[in-house]
Amino acid sequence: LMAIIEDYDNIPRIGSVRSCRDYFLFYANEYDAIYSHYGQAVYALQYLDQHLIDNLNGLTLGNAYYRSTDRVAPHNAYTDFSHLQAGIQSQGYSQDYKEDYNGHFQFAPEGTETTLDDGVSANVVKLDNFAYNHPWFEYNAETKEYSRFQFNAPHIDQNTGNQLTCENIILQYSNYVPYDPNGYLNVDTQSGGEGKYITRGKAIDIHWTKDSQWGITHYYDSNNQEIQLNPGKTWVEIVLNDSVGSVSLQ
């Protein structure tokens, strides 16, 4: 998982923080983010060594993270506002958006909502392509949110005790090749592909494009119009192309 958080001032604990993969760098850069990680796969080193994205590496920045006592290493590296700020300030990173950054997504105009009336039913979204935790989402028509489950139980935020929810789900079908026999993947983040946009209990087919490796991904409907999300949390699932058949909507 890669969380994209703009307002983290009052989050008491963020993590656990794990190691970087190269594709996470490309995704994070789309949001003009400072990328927080604890170590990296060797395939990400070429980008980190060139400092192509502002990042806080726990292997070299001890002031940006701490170890908790309630979990065993390497699952106990965490951070919070004060630690992140210490790391950012020690590196001299700007916390202002770049002048040419105009945001990532398009949203429904104020006072309206995206309902996907011509879409297919998507009250339950099962992602059995993830064979270990078998996650899925269930739509709640009263709250207009999707609740996330995994390991046959609700997916709970340890800080709040509440189940994770989101207003939008984007399934982004992506090509890949294995880097090596150890499970490291070279995920194609640039060439474009198909997918689904899911909100308000409905789903439509979409396609995605990206003009450069470090550019922003754009999502379009069948009329080639950029999709408009409902305000709130958005969960983007990268679905490997040979696993699309394991995804089901009900």
Side-chain angles (χ1 to χ4, degrees):
L1 305 180
M2 183 181 78
I4 301 166
I5 307 169
E6 185 174 48
D7 300 317
Y8 54 91
D9 309 42
N10 298 314
I11 302 177
R13 186 161 86 158
I14 301 172
S16 64
V17 182
R18 300 300 305 276
S19 59
C20 170
R21 301 293 184 266
D22 54 354
Y23 43 83
F24 283 144
L25 296 174
F26 307 136
Y27 296 139
N29 191 68
E30 298 189 29
Y31 301 87
D32 195 18
I34 297 172
Y35 181 67
S36 173
H37 63 108
Y38 209 107
Q40 65 281 318
V42 65
Y43 305 103
L45 277 173
Q46 60 176 316
Y47 306 108
L48 295 170
D49 288 346
Q50 295 180 69
H51 210 87
L52 296 176
I53 181 173
D54 291 346
N55 70 97
L56 303 174
N57 189 347
L59 292 182
T60 57
L61 285 177
N63 63 341
Y65 304 93
Y66 66 91
R67 293 283 184 181
S68 72
T69 58
D70 59 340
R71 303 183 75 184
V72 298
H75 308 282
N76 64 343
Y78 287 89
T79 189
D80 54 26
F81 177 78
S82 62
H83 283 83
L84 288 172
Q85 290 301 110
I88 291 169
Q89 292 168 7
S90 71
Q91 298 302 296
Y93 294 149
S94 170
Q95 292 182 267
D96 295 321
Y97 286 114
K98 295 185 178 74
E99 289 186 2
D100 60 350
Y101 181 74
N102 296 313
H104 190 288
F105 294 115
Q106 302 293 317
F107 290 93
E110 187 174 355
T112 70
E113 64 177 344
T114 298
T115 56
L116 306 181
D117 294 333
D118 295 330
V120 300
S121 179
N123 291 304
V124 179
V125 181
K126 291 189 174 182
L127 302 168
D128 284 335
N129 52 307
F130 295 99
Y132 178 63
N133 57 335
H134 294 283
W136 77 94
F137 294 87
E138 293 184 5
Y139 181 60
N140 184 324
E142 292 185 3
T143 64
K144 299 183 178 181
E145 294 177 327
Y146 283 87
S147 299
R148 193 174 195 271
F149 298 79
Q150 63 176 4
F151 298 111
N152 293 315
H155 189 171
I156 301 299
D157 183 329
Q158 189 179 30
N159 287 328
T160 66
N162 297 326
Q163 188 172 7
L164 301 189
T165 61
C166 61
E167 280 73 17
N168 309 284
I169 302 170
I170 294 174
L171 306 183
Q172 182 173 329
Y173 303 159
S174 302
N175 288 314
Y176 77 101
V177 293
Y179 270 127
D180 57 37
N182 299 316
Y184 292 105
L185 303 179
N186 183 4
V187 177
D188 184 349
T189 65
Q190 181 177 343
S191 297
E194 306 302 314
K196 300 278 188 186
Y197 170 43
I198 303 167
T199 193
R200 301 299 195 260
K202 295 282 189 176
I204 60 170
D205 292 328
I206 60 171
H207 63 278
W208 63 274
T209 64
K210 193 175 184 183
D211 57 10
S212 68
Q213 189 176 49
W214 296 97
I216 291 178
T217 304
H218 296 279
Y219 304 92
Y220 300 91
D221 62 21
S222 59
N223 296 317
N224 211 35
Q225 297 297 309
E226 192 159 3
I227 62 173
Q228 293 185 335
L229 305 183
N230 287 306
K233 300 186 192 74
T234 296
W235 196 293
V236 180
E237 290 282 357
I238 306 302
V239 180
L240 303 180
N241 268 338
D242 58 4
S243 300
V244 172
S246 299
V247 176
S248 63
L249 309 177
Q250 300 174 10

